[in-house]
Structure formats: structure tokens, C-alpha cells
Amino acid sequence: DAKTTQPPSMDCAEGRAANLPCNHSTISGNEYVYWYRQIHSQGPQYIIHGLKNNETNEMASLIITEDRKSSTLILPHATLRDTAVYYCIVRGELYNFNKFYFGSGTKLNVKP
Amino acid sequence: DGGITQSPKYLFRKEGQNVTLSCEQNLNHDAMYWYRQDPGQGLRLIYYSQIVNDFQKGDIAEGYSVSREKKESFPLTVTSAQKNPTAFYLCASRFGSGANVLTFGAGSRLTVL
């Protein structure tokens, strides 16, 4: 599986957009990018995933570069409740029985 | 509502005792997973199961055991052989074919006294 690299922490002002980067330079053509987040002492929550095109849902937007070596998760209007650890994961759709690896993620601190 | 239920939420154990953490899902998911999380760290895979009566070791299976006798249930036993069992344990599940979205339970926090 492709490795991912994320900054350990980021700050964001409440109401502003939070842009969380992820590098996945060894990603292969059939691997998707997934984002999850974990609020303190809770189970991780799925946010969004994508392959090549940019994706948007009610929670966030995912921007994937044309060469697919990096991506950015965008929370358009961060609130204090968005303070959490955000995990970027790369996985292949070809595998039915696969493992999911979560690294250390990015701790997003949303400040008033 | 469909989801994953982990119990107990908090558990205290004396050294040398085995303890079993429960994980039940009513999502009709095929695959189930157990992760361990230590303070300030990411999640590490202990065991996973693709179908009933089948499971595979993850990266840190030593000192742990699992069973998958029913599709809905994937209990984890932390044995006395696990050297440092104090941690936050997370159970997850995923629908089998194609979709790669994991659904997690709320977690069980185990403290060894």
C-alpha cells in the first residue's frame, strides 16, 4: 500500500477554511485516497474518498492533484467541533480482503 | 439504528488476567477489524476477519486472540501474554465487496492495574 505523509498538527480560526494536506507520492493507479477523522476518545469517522476527480460532500471537499501524488482535505467553514485528528489513507479497490493502515494523522486545532 | 456496539466502554484488569472485549454489528457487514491505539498514536491493526470462521493476524497480534463464529460478532481476548495491554481498543467493520469505508465502534478503554 502507498505510504502517506501528513503534518503532525495545524491550527485554523473558527469560520475559516481548514486545508489539510497529504502526500502519497507512491500511489498507484487503482488506489483511492480516503480521509477519516477521530475526535478525542471516539472511534474514527469516515469523511470522504476519491480516485482522480475532486469530490465534495456535506462534510468536506477533497482535492487531488493531477499527478495524484498529493491531496488536500478542505473543511470550508471550520467550527470548534471540527477539532480532531485527521487521517489520510490510501487503499486499492481491487482488494476485497484488505488491511487499513492509519498513521499518526494531523491534529487540527480550531480556535475561536 | 445500524451500527457497531463495543462493550465494555471502560475495563480494569489485574495483571495475569485474560479479558474479552465485545464487538457486535448489525450492519450486515462481512469484514471486521480490531485496532489498538496508544496515547498520541495512530491505530495499529491487531486482527481482521473477512468472513465467518476465518480471521488473519494484523501487525500486533501477539498476546491477543479472536473468534468469528457469527457474522455479527468479533470478540477480542486480551491474554496475559500481552505485555502492555493498557490501551484504547477499536472495532470496525466493512461491507465485503468493493466498498472500502470502515465503520467504527466507540471503543473500549482497557487499563491494567
Side-chain angles (χ1 to χ4, degrees), chain A residues 1 3 99-102, chain B residues 34-36 43-48 56-62 64:
Chain A
D1 299 327
K3 300 283 188 186
K99 308 177 187 179
F100 290 79
Y101 290 103
F102 288 74
Chain B
W34 273 106
Y35 289 90
R36 168 183 171 137
L43 282 65
R44 291 187 289 169
L45 183 64
I46 305 173
Y47 268 98
Y48 64 106
Q56 285 78 41
K57 293 181 178 179
D59 301 313
I60 56 165
E62 185 175 353
Y64 299 98

Side-chain angles (χ1 to χ4, degrees), chain A residues 34 36 38 41-44 46 49 87 91-93 95-104, chain B residues 33 35 37 41-43 45 48 50 59 88 90 94 96-98 100-102 104-106 109:
Chain A
Y34 294 79
Y36 289 77
Q38 185 178 23
S41 293
Q42 297 182 21
Y46 164 78
H49 74 283
Y87 297 99
R91 286 303 308 158
E93 281 287 353
Y95 307 109
N96 286 328
F97 310 129
N98 48 21
K99 308 177 187 179
F100 290 79
Y101 290 103
F102 288 74
S104 297
Chain B
Y33 302 77
Y35 289 90
Q37 187 173 36
Q41 305 296 313
L43 282 65
L45 183 64
Y48 64 106
Q50 306 155 13
D59 301 313
F88 188 49
L90 286 158
R94 176 182 66 85
S97 53
N100 279 274
V101 177
L102 288 176
F104 281 87
R109 188 168 299 279

Side-chain angles (χ1 to χ4, degrees), chain B residues 1-4 25-30 71-72 93 95 103:
Chain B
D1 288 338
I4 298 179
Q25 55 99 358
N26 60 4
L27 299 166
N28 198 33
H29 283 178
D30 299 302
K71 186 176 185 178
E72 304 79 21
S93 69
F95 187 68
T103 301

